[in-house]
Amino acid sequence: MKENLDINSRSLKWEQNGELAQKDLSELIERLKNVENDLACSELSRLGTKSDKID
């Protein structure tokens, strides 16, 4: 097991319906957009917009 864990590391919160919690989903999408290519970023943006409409 890693001894030097990132301070910002934490478990993702999952809802009762099996979906990732909205806050965690949004944060994950933003982090992925920082490291993915333009095509993937475009798809992540679309996914982020879709997830924002789900409440």
Side-chain angles (χ1 to χ4, degrees):
M1 192 163 169
K2 275 186 174 178
E3 289 184 32
N4 195 6
L5 295 176
D6 182 9
I7 292 174
N8 293 325
S9 293
R10 61 180 179 86
S11 296
L12 298 173
K13 181 179 177 193
W14 296 92
E15 301 293 341
Q16 291 289 340
N17 64 3
E19 297 285 330
L20 189 58
Q22 182 63 41
K23 181 178 182 240
D24 287 340
L25 178 59
S26 296
E27 185 177 310
L28 177 60
I29 289 170
E30 288 304 312
R31 286 179 180 227
L32 287 171
K33 284 169 45 179
N34 289 331
V35 297
E36 290 294 339
N37 62 39
D38 291 340
L39 182 60
C41 285
S42 175
E43 184 63 18
L44 287 165
S45 293
R46 186 189 67 77
L47 178 61
T49 301
K50 181 179 175 183
S51 71
D52 288 343
K53 293 179 182 177
I54 301 171
D55 285 323

